[in-house]
Amino acid sequence: MQREVASLALAPTIKAKLIGAGFVRVGDLHEVSAAELRIEAGISLQESTEVLQTVFPRSHEKGSETRWMKATEILEQEKSCRSISTFCAALDTVLGGGIMTGKMIEICGTPGVGKTQLCIQLAVNTQIPASFGGVEGHSVYIDTEGSFLVDRVVDVAEAALQHCKQQHGKTGQLGALENFTLETILSNIFFFRCHDYVELLAQVHLLPDFLFKHPKVRFLVVDSIAYPFRHEFEDLSVRTRLLHGLAQKLLQLASQHNIAIVLTNHMTIRLEQNNSALVPALGESWGHVSPQRLVLYWQGKQRFASLTKSSRQKEQMVPFQITSHGFHDVQLFQSQVTASISSATSNTTTVNARKRCRVEDDDEHEDCL
Amino acid sequence: MNYVFVSSHLFYCTITFHFFPTYKIVYFSSHKHNSHMKKDSSFTDCISSFRTLSLTLVAINRVLLAQYASFPINGADLYDELLSSTAILSTGNESLDKLLDSGLYTGEVTELIGSPGSGKTQVCLGVAANVACELKRNVVYIDSTGGLSASRLLEIVKSKVSTAEQQLDALRRIYVTEVFDIFSMLKVLQTLRTGGFPESPSGSSSLKAVIVDSVRAVLLPVIGGNQIEGLSLMMQLAGELRMISRDFCVAVLVTNHVIRESNGAVKPGLGRSWSHVPRTRILLQHVNSEMTTQNGLRRATLLKSSRQPCQISEEFCLGSWNHHKVVKEAKEDSIPEEAH
Amino acid sequence: MDWDHLELKPSVLLAVKRAKIQSTKEILSLSGLELQTLLKLSQDDVLHLQKIVAASIRKTPAITALQLHQGECPSFDQTTKLSLGCPILDKFLRGGLPLVGIAELAGESSAGKTQICMQLCLSVQYPQKYGGLGAGAVYICTEDAFPAKRLQQLISLQHRLRPEVPVDVMRSIAFGNNIYIEHAGDLESLNMCVSKRIPILMSRGLVRLVVLDSVAALFRCEFEAKDAIVKAKHLKTLGATLHNLSSSFKTPIVCVNQVTAAVDESRLMEGSFGILEKKVLPALGLTWSSQVLIRLMVSRTHLSVQDRFPQLTNHLWHLGNILRTMEVIFAPHIAQSFCFYTIAMDGVRGIQANNAEQASTLNT
């Protein structure tokens, strides 16, 4: 009742009229009929009805009451959430078991380092049956760059199937793979192509309805969020506003529908006084949007993934590799890597990189003690 | 020497109370008088009757002033009152406590700013865990970035108390709500202010901290461009935060982003009008700004304070809220089977 | 903008008309709060408006990857590819170039970039059965004059390069008449060409391939180091225009790029693409790289075909002498790999080599 009228989600002109007529707090509107309000505030009957509906929503409508949750309940929720594996065990460990559903993560990287590959891998892995420890959900892929090539999805899906079949042989889960075929994997990836930011904004407006109709969606990717927003904008403040509005909507979807949301971003060069640094694009304020940020980069001939922002995991970096089958650990193919290092003509940088990596591992080890 | 403090809030109230009734009294009494006045009454009659009226008015005025006006309080009394009502909540982190002059003060808004990944959310989680665990007080955590992680909270709590029952007790004191736009944020704060806080065994008075992570997320979509209303919403939010902190004697902790200027210096986001809102402001930075250094070391710098010299800074480790051993075990548990 | 055909509530429709909003884009670029102020509507009405407008822009429903895979949606045809005119190179690129997207061909001078582009211009003219798209090509020259003489030679030797195509099919194609050559000496004329003239040719169905030879030349001479921001902006705009052309007409875009020596630290950091041993990197930096879907790098080796593949000696009549490599630096559907090719009188041909041979060559 003490709530101020000014803070309600009404049209500003109506708010001004209400306040002008003396309705400063919600309590002032209590037991006022629409007809009375119309005369008092000088607004139309329809407007006054709407005002009263907004101020006193009928109790059964959703969102009318603030939902308070104790941290213990959230803990239960988090425990019951399954994560989507990347198929790179080291990366999964860094991420705390994989990509969490219900959360948003931003993946940044230079062109060709594997952002799209990771997204495709995740879109496929989302569908791994629950009996294999998967999420068993559907995926939504919003492509803004035109880099979603279905050939690659087929490769990755076949490799994932193969992987599960091997497990199946080991553990003897009968029938678990019946509904896990190439056809089902492909038919459960929903693809949207957005050519510019207007289409992307429109798509995000339509997503709530889509997700309502497809409740099994557990993974949504926008690949990339940066591309449509990196040109066409003369006024950067407009861009900031649109991007942040978009991000808040997506965050809401992630939490409401328990979906893992992945946004990919480009890298750009920031010139500082004496040195330049490679930083994620879209400006620094964008960096706050996603609660988690993973940066993929090359070091010598090796790809690395580095978790630079997370509220629950430590910052860490791990090597990974992309084979024709998709994402993988480097350790599995250690012999190949060492072979390629010894054969590389200019291997000094690579070796340095590896050394450095080891040193950082040691640092972390010291932290543990 | 005596200092005179005048609370602007109180002053404002007095003025409104003072003027409106007087105006009404003048209006009503003159109205009454006119109706009683006869057509043939002389001019002097009028004057005298008005004079009596004005005398009455002055008298009324005095009564009203005595009733509502603020009066000077000396510093000693104010200090006593402060001591009786203010509590200082330790953040659980020595370096931060040192910067904050031993912790977060109730009745004040404290702001944490920093670039992405500088550890704002970590500090928020740390404070929430400490208040819930060590001080055994309730905490309200308003999350607008989706950054809250209960498992991380549990990790921090585990490092403080050993038994599972105590840990769960601590987590039960942290009330979380997610908001995604400015209107729901205002709604949550207003329900909080008007006693809409969920009942807890020890009563809502044990609420000691309100954490808002972050104000940026809800405000950035509504400010800028040609949105006149954005600024007023921002000031409403500021007003709500201030009022909650004062009326309920709770410490309010908010996070905000930074804007990097062309010369590489940083300044708090959301512009000048917001910059007056928090009493205390702390900047968090990576100790080594290189992307590859991942030691969890952060530097906190005091940018605004009424108690401590500004620009003093302290370094601390983000992981210091918990033991790393715990983290490792938790991680190994959570790896899905098929990843191996 | 005609708002009447949208299924809006009468009150909302009236408000939109009263506020004189011109386009749906305008509505979507405004935040809910701004719309409320502008239209004097409540939040629910604004949500309703946004949803209806969004639906009017996004008419196509969700497509599943299965539909894409089976080629069921003509607007996203990913099964058709543009052949390079050589089965070995096609196999290397998993069928050829995808129809939508910018493919970049980077390499030192005389590595064979222009030769590959010309062969693409001919290959696109074949019917779909033979790997083409049954339409002509636009060739935009920014550096040198178009090598018309060499083109004539290639046309006259097409029957040698493509023996699998029946003679009557080949005779029916007037190769020379379907290649539109544009010269763009500066950025302005390039923009003019890309945004005005080419769309006209494409909308008439005359052209299904655009070659830009080279994109680097214009940007490298027109901008100095200090203009990096302006340059980046122009590159983004050009990239966006090309992307639009490509996706609205299902037309592959091939851009030739130069290479720069990878010497200074910052360039290495810019994204070395894991090809450090190359010592050269494609020019134009990170901004341009983000626009590219498939990046290929070609280079000539110091080896001759006879040295490397003695078993092929009896085929030498149709192979060139210098051994060259084509390398995939990145592509969404191909792993980093490389393939040998040569340039002969009649065109560009890949050489089938087994893995052991490739590995041994890498080491030498």
Side-chain angles (χ1 to χ4, degrees):
Chain A
M1 288 299 124
Q2 284 301 303
R3 183 164 183 191
E4 282 169 41
V5 168
S7 71
L8 292 170
L10 293 167
T13 41
I14 292 181
K15 274 194 259 181
K17 278 180 187 164
L18 287 176
I19 293 165
F23 299 102
V24 181
R25 289 175 196 283
V26 169
D28 300 338
L29 288 166
H30 198 54
E31 293 185 347
V32 177
S33 76
E36 284 166 349
L37 188 63
R38 182 180 76 99
I39 299 161
E40 290 269 332
I43 52 179
S44 75
L45 188 62
Q46 199 194 347
E47 282 170 332
S48 61
T49 321
E50 271 179 13
V51 167
L52 292 177
Q53 271 171 9
T54 321
V55 178
F56 307 109
R58 267 150 282 152
S59 52
H60 61 85
E61 279 176 39
K62 64 183 170 76
S64 57
E65 280 307 310
T66 313
R67 259 175 79 236
W68 293 100
M69 293 177 75
K70 290 179 185 171
T72 41
E73 295 167 51
I74 295 187
L75 189 68
E76 288 305 311
Q77 246 181 32
E78 279 179 16
K79 274 186 183 158
S80 66
C81 269
R82 286 177 176 274
S83 299
I84 305 165
S85 165
T86 61
F87 273 1
C88 170
L91 185 56
D92 281 349
T93 313
V94 165
L95 292 168
I99 306 281
M100 285 260 287
T101 53
K103 298 272 172 189
M104 184 193 267
I105 183 166
E106 182 187 5
I107 299 175
C108 316
T110 50
V113 76
K115 302 186 292 292
T116 303
Q117 300 299 321
L118 181 53
C119 294
I120 290 176
Q121 183 77 58
L122 290 168
V124 169
N125 288 4
T126 307
Q127 303 180 38
I128 292 174
S131 52
F132 287 87
V135 174
E136 201 171 338
H138 298 174
S139 309
V140 173
Y141 203 107
I142 301 177
D143 181 18
T144 64
E145 296 190 346
S147 54
F148 182 84
L149 293 186
V150 77
D151 290 357
R152 183 62 192 155
V153 186
V154 173
D155 289 353
V156 172
E158 275 171 348
L161 276 174
Q162 201 59 42
H163 185 92
C164 286
K165 278 204 184 107
Q166 280 169 8
Q167 289 240 323
H168 171 70
K170 264 184 238 158
T171 54
Q173 284 141 322
L174 290 164
L177 284 170
E178 262 174 28
N179 292 321
F180 192 54
T181 60
L182 184 63
E183 270 75 32
T184 53
I185 293 180
L186 291 182
S187 61
N188 289 336
I189 299 177
F190 300 99
F191 167 79
F192 295 100
R193 174 81 169 91
C194 296
H195 294 95
D196 55 21
Y197 76 93
V198 180
E199 287 190 15
L200 181 60
L201 290 171
Q203 190 57 57
V204 173
H205 277 301
L206 297 177
L207 276 179
D209 286 350
F210 180 84
L211 295 176
F212 215 72
K213 275 184 215 146
H214 298 84
K216 285 194 80 182
V217 171
R218 285 289 161 275
F219 174 74
L220 184 148
V221 57
V222 181
D223 180 26
S224 70
I225 188 89
Y227 184 75
F229 284 98
R230 285 191 77 190
H231 58 93
E232 279 192 66
F233 283 97
E234 292 297 326
D235 182 3
L236 283 186
S237 77
V238 176
R239 181 179 91 170
T240 313
R241 200 153 40 78
L242 289 178
L243 263 175
H244 283 84
L246 188 75
Q248 287 306 113
K249 282 199 196 93
L250 289 174
L251 273 172
Q252 193 166 6
L253 289 179
S255 149
Q256 277 175 355
H257 297 265
N258 190 24
I259 296 174
I261 293 197
V262 171
L263 306 176
T264 66
N265 191 2
H266 295 164
M267 300 294 274
T268 187
I269 291 162
R270 186 172 67 202
L271 298 166
E272 280 170 351
Q273 292 90 345
N274 42 13
N275 61 336
S276 56
L278 199 63
V279 295
L282 294 177
E284 189 161 307
S285 73
W286 172 253
H288 295 277
V289 166
S290 168
Q292 303 171 80
R293 179 178 253 179
L294 189 70
V295 178
L296 309 180
Y297 58 98
W298 285 102
Q299 219 170 58
K301 288 189 75 176
Q302 181 60 54
R303 290 171 157 114
F304 278 87
S306 161
L307 189 69
T308 60
K309 186 187 174 192
S310 168
S311 54
R312 62 182 220 129
Q313 293 299 120
K314 245 155 69 76
E315 299 173 339
Q316 259 179 310
M317 57 184 255
V318 282
F320 69 93
Q321 69 168 4
I322 299 169
T323 66
S324 54
H325 302 300
F327 252 64
H328 278 294
D329 276 299
V330 173
Q331 284 81 358
L332 292 174
F333 299 84
Q334 195 65 50
S335 54
Q336 287 178 20
V337 174
T338 36
S340 72
I341 286 172
S342 60
S343 69
T345 42
S346 64
N347 56 0
T348 44
T349 339
T350 324
V351 169
N352 279 347
R354 292 178 59 79
K355 257 185 193 161
R356 195 167 160 193
C357 170
R358 205 166 295 137
V359 168
E360 278 172 11
D361 280 347
D362 288 344
D363 281 351
E364 272 158 15
H365 187 65
E366 276 167 28
D367 273 355
C368 300
L369 297 175
Chain B
M1 201 193 286
N2 286 326
Y3 287 101
V4 177
F5 290 98
V6 177
S7 152
S8 63
H9 179 66
L10 215 64
F11 194 61
Y12 172 77
C13 288
T14 324
I15 289 187
T16 46
F17 272 111
H18 177 66
F19 275 112
F20 281 100
T22 325
Y23 163 75
K24 274 192 180 161
I25 288 163
V26 170
Y27 176 77
F28 283 119
S29 43
S30 62
H31 194 72
K32 215 173 171 184
H33 191 86
N34 282 341
S35 61
H36 278 269
M37 239 189 278
K38 284 163 192 157
K39 273 187 181 174
D40 55 347
S41 50
S42 68
F43 181 68
T44 44
D45 274 353
C46 269
I47 294 291
S48 66
S49 64
F50 268 116
R51 185 168 296 151
T52 49
L53 181 70
S54 70
L55 281 175
T56 338
L57 275 181
V58 169
I60 294 170
N61 201 350
R62 284 221 180 106
V63 173
L64 283 172
L65 268 177
Q67 203 169 344
Y68 292 109
S70 65
F71 47 89
I73 307 171
N74 70 31
D77 291 346
L78 201 65
Y79 183 65
D80 285 342
E81 201 187 316
L82 196 77
L83 279 187
S84 61
S85 65
T86 305
I88 303 173
L89 311 177
S90 164
T91 59
N93 179 308
E94 276 182 33
S95 320
L96 282 178
D97 280 354
K98 215 184 266 180
L99 281 189
L100 290 165
D101 193 12
S102 67
L104 297 171
Y105 281 60
T106 59
E108 286 185 9
V109 179
T110 309
E111 185 181 60
L112 284 171
I113 62 170
S115 49
S118 56
K120 300 184 293 297
T121 303
Q122 286 304 315
V123 173
C124 287
L125 293 175
V127 169
N130 199 58
V131 172
C133 191
E134 302 281 328
L135 309 176
K136 309 231 180 310
R137 299 295 185 164
N138 286 343
V139 180
V140 162
Y141 196 111
I142 304 173
D143 184 16
S144 66
T145 60
L148 178 100
S149 159
S151 42
R152 173 70 187 151
L153 271 176
L154 184 65
E155 275 170 26
I156 302 172
V157 169
K158 269 183 182 168
S159 71
K160 295 179 191 295
V161 286
S162 48
T163 68
E165 193 46 44
Q166 280 173 311
Q167 289 162 4
L168 287 180
D169 258 358
L171 289 189
R172 274 191 210 110
R173 289 194 196 95
I174 303 175
Y175 290 83
V176 181
T177 189
E178 283 187 320
V179 296
F180 295 101
D181 60 65
I182 179 72
F183 292 111
S184 33
M185 170 82 90
L186 286 171
K187 190 174 161 191
V188 166
L189 290 175
Q190 272 159 346
T191 36
L192 203 59
R193 186 158 59 86
T194 52
F197 186 67
E199 64 276 84
S200 55
S202 40
S204 65
S205 61
S206 65
L207 175 66
K208 270 292 168 242
V210 173
I211 297 171
V212 181
D213 180 29
S214 76
V215 290
R216 167 208 63 82
V218 292
L219 283 176
L220 270 195
V222 297
I223 56 174
N226 46 1
Q227 304 183 99
I228 331 126
E229 227 203 341
L231 202 65
S232 99
L233 286 171
M234 181 162 98
M235 289 338 281
Q236 278 183 39
L237 177 62
E240 287 295 339
L241 290 174
R242 277 212 196 105
M243 234 178 280
I244 284 179
S245 69
R246 209 171 19 232
D247 294 358
F248 289 90
C249 269
V250 298
V252 174
L253 180 67
V254 301
T255 64
N256 190 5
H257 66 297
V258 290
I259 292 168
R260 193 173 291 271
E261 285 169 330
S262 49
N263 59 3
V266 291
K267 61 173 189 183
L270 294 177
R272 190 166 298 188
S273 27
W274 180 264
S275 72
H276 297 293
V277 175
R279 248 304 179 71
T280 313
R281 176 176 290 127
I282 285 184
L283 171 71
L284 294 176
Q285 280 170 311
H286 288 261
V287 169
N288 201 330
S289 66
E290 260 181 63
M291 199 173 64
T292 47
T293 58
Q294 302 183 324
N295 43 16
L297 211 57
R298 297 290 187 275
R299 181 185 296 116
T301 313
L302 193 64
L303 291 190
K304 181 183 173 185
S305 172
S306 52
R307 285 181 290 273
Q308 297 257 66
C310 289
Q311 298 302 335
I312 55 169
S313 63
E314 285 279 332
E315 286 186 12
F316 68 96
C317 179
L318 271 189
S320 70
W321 257 292
N322 70 309
H323 296 303
H324 287 280
K325 259 190 168 170
V326 181
V327 190
K328 285 234 154 165
E329 281 163 15
K331 269 181 202 164
E332 274 158 14
D333 288 341
S334 54
I335 303 166
E337 294 141 32
E338 91 279 350
H340 291 296
Chain C
M1 176 73 205
D2 177 26
W3 296 102
D4 290 319
H5 71 272
L6 298 181
E7 286 174 10
L8 289 169
K9 279 201 271 185
S11 59
V12 177
L13 185 65
L14 198 70
V16 171
K17 283 183 176 168
R18 198 168 47 208
K20 295 197 172 57
I21 290 181
Q22 301 298 326
S23 64
T24 47
K25 181 177 171 179
E26 208 174 320
I27 288 187
L28 289 173
S29 325
L30 292 170
S31 69
L33 209 56
E34 277 176 299
L35 280 175
Q36 283 185 36
T37 321
L38 196 66
L39 302 174
K40 305 185 177 63
L41 289 174
S42 67
Q43 198 181 28
D44 288 345
D45 281 347
V46 165
L47 280 178
H48 159 76
L49 172 68
Q50 282 174 329
K51 219 170 249 176
I52 298 275
V53 166
S56 78
I57 287 183
R58 306 286 308 164
K59 288 204 185 76
T60 47
I63 303 163
T64 65
L66 187 68
Q67 286 170 302
L68 276 182
H69 181 55
Q70 294 171 343
E72 279 172 16
C73 24
S75 51
F76 297 100
D77 184 3
Q78 290 197 354
T79 45
T80 316
K81 300 257 170 80
L82 171 61
S83 160
L84 269 74
C86 161
I88 294 167
L89 288 179
D90 281 349
K91 191 172 163 236
F92 172 62
L93 294 179
R94 295 188 75 168
L97 298 179
L99 294 194
V100 176
I102 299 177
E104 184 198 76
L105 204 56
E108 293 160 70
S109 61
S110 82
K113 305 185 293 280
T114 307
Q115 301 292 326
I116 296 171
C117 289
M118 282 198 289
Q119 185 153 319
L120 277 169
C121 288
L122 297 176
S123 167
V124 73
Q125 299 182 36
Y126 287 95
Q128 233 177 60
K129 192 179 165 195
Y130 301 104
L133 299 171
V138 176
Y139 199 104
I140 309 169
C141 303
T142 64
E143 303 179 85
D144 310 314
F146 183 76
K149 223 172 142 188
R150 171 70 178 145
L151 183 71
Q152 288 310 320
Q153 191 182 29
L154 284 176
I155 292 172
S156 65
L157 293 172
Q158 274 297 297
H159 62 277
R160 266 173 62 185
L161 186 76
R162 310 284 297 264
E164 81 280 8
V165 182
V167 184
D168 52 328
V169 173
M170 198 171 285
R171 284 226 184 97
S172 65
I173 306 169
F175 287 106
N177 297 343
N178 289 327
I179 300 176
Y180 302 86
I181 294 156
E182 294 271 357
H183 282 275
D186 52 34
L187 207 53
E188 203 181 325
S189 50
L190 176 67
N191 280 336
M192 194 66 188
C193 170
V194 172
S195 55
K196 296 266 152 44
R197 287 202 290 278
I198 294 182
I200 295 174
L201 286 173
M202 285 184 166
S203 56
R204 290 182 190 159
L206 295 172
V207 164
R208 288 296 293 277
L209 172 73
V210 176
V211 177
L212 179 52
D213 183 8
S214 76
V215 65
L218 286 179
F219 283 93
R220 291 180 94 180
C221 61
E222 274 193 34
F223 296 98
E224 288 172 33
K226 61 178 164 48
D227 301 330
I229 294 170
V230 188
K231 177 174 150 185
K233 205 180 139 216
H234 280 285
L235 274 174
K236 281 180 205 159
T237 317
L238 177 68
T241 322
L242 293 176
H243 261 286
N244 275 344
L245 275 182
S246 183
S247 60
S248 38
F249 296 101
K250 307 281 159 286
T251 299
I253 312 270
V254 178
C255 291
V256 172
N257 195 358
Q258 299 169 349
V259 288
T260 49
V263 275
D264 54 327
E265 189 76 23
S266 71
R267 202 166 285 283
L268 283 181
M269 199 189 60
E270 251 174 50
S272 52
F273 313 111
I275 46 162
L276 265 183
E277 76 274 21
K278 277 277 184 288
K279 298 204 173 60
V280 288
L281 282 176
L284 294 178
L286 207 51
T287 318
W288 175 252
S289 307
S290 325
Q291 310 284 338
V292 174
L293 181 71
I294 296 178
R295 170 166 272 177
L296 302 172
M297 189 128 109
V298 290
S299 59
R300 55 188 284 170
T301 64
H302 51 273
L303 299 169
S304 71
V305 181
Q306 290 98 315
D307 295 347
R308 239 355 268 126
F309 300 100
Q311 76 275 26
L312 291 175
T313 326
N314 43 357
H315 298 287
L316 270 182
W317 58 272
H318 69 217
L319 290 174
N321 198 29
I322 300 165
L323 196 64
R324 297 155 197 268
T325 59
M326 179 187 282
E327 187 176 357
V328 177
I329 298 189
F330 61 76
H333 59 311
I334 313 168
Q336 281 197 346
S337 51
F338 73 98
C339 172
F340 291 111
Y341 74 98
T342 63
I343 299 173
M345 194 80 94
D346 53 355
V348 177
R349 272 202 183 82
I351 297 175
Q352 187 73 56
N354 58 40
N355 291 338
E357 278 170 345
Q358 286 202 351
S360 64
T361 317
L362 188 72
N363 287 339
T364 55

